[in-house]
Amino acid sequence: MIMNDAIQLDRLSKRFKRTEALKDVTLNVPEGSVFALLGENGAGKTTAIRIMLGLERPDSGHARVLGYDSKSEDLDIRRRVGYVPETPDLYDWMTVYQIGWYAAGFYPQGYWDRFTAMAEEFELPAKAKIKTLSKGMRAKVSLSLALSHDPDLLILDEPTSGLDAMVRREFLESMVQRAADGRTVFLSSHQINEVERVAEYVALIRQGDLVLVERLEDLKARSRMISMTLAGEAVDPQLPEGRIVDCQQEGRRLRWLATDLPDARIGEIGEQSGVESVDVHRPNLEEIFVAHMKGSAGVPSDANDSASNLGGAV
């Protein structure tokens, strides 16, 4: 199935004084998908989002969002996209309904009706001033503002911060439904367990470098967590095939996060001299994330190549 790209990042680089926030990042996000960008604090996630929206200019490279160039057509992008930043910048002196009424002036008819319906669903106090609201309530206001024009693309930077568990779960499930309806959701989040429930694609970024971009189902299918007990600390087992992403050893216990190891060859690990026992399981997204963030194998050289191929046949 051929898909168009809602977002195209082409060799983006951005430096802030001595810090390289993004290093030659290439990334395609297919339309109608839930796409998660994961990384530690300071990895470059928010910088990438701000460049997409035209709120920052890259030092080199280009970004296109919904077909618009982020440098020259940033206003068109922001009209078409719903954006929820980690810390919403709201007019504190307005009430909930006043800020919705104000925002409705920038969008076609129907925005106000959708906003009031969402505000009621989130149980927002209509006449309360924004400055009196809790962090969670402010997040709900921001989500209502971002969703009320029914955008083709929703960009979320830590969207569930401050939300209670039930609202968080319902909101994330609604993101899956948006993708099923042909909309695109791009989210950055520290809540890896939540991401694993809803994302179709994941990208991992580490200190400005794109580590991988892949369909989540495929990434989990080709990853293995391999734990071994060795006869002695000096034993040096070899992986029969594939690649070791991360290697951790504590005494006689050795653990690998490996990729592309055929199941038929797993048994060869335990047959090697000095390997007393082997346990293998398919890791969850959190285990894969942690391994790549501290992986001793470093950043794979083909990360950006695989990223650029996502927008084609998937």
Side-chain angles (χ1 to χ4, degrees), residues 1 37 52 64 66 89 130 133 184 197 208 266 287:
M1 179 179 178
L37 179 63
M52 292 177 203
R64 297 190 71 84
L66 299 177
D89 187 13
I130 302 297
L133 300 180
T184 307
R197 288 208 312 269
I266 290 175
E287 290 173 315

Side-chain angles (χ1 to χ4, degrees), residues 1 33 38 49 55 120 133 199 215 235 242 244-245 255 294:
M1 179 179 178
S33 65
L38 303 177
I49 288 173
L55 301 174
E120 290 176 8
L133 300 180
R215 190 188 293 269
V235 175
I244 297 174
V245 174
R255 186 179 65 192
K294 65 181 187 180

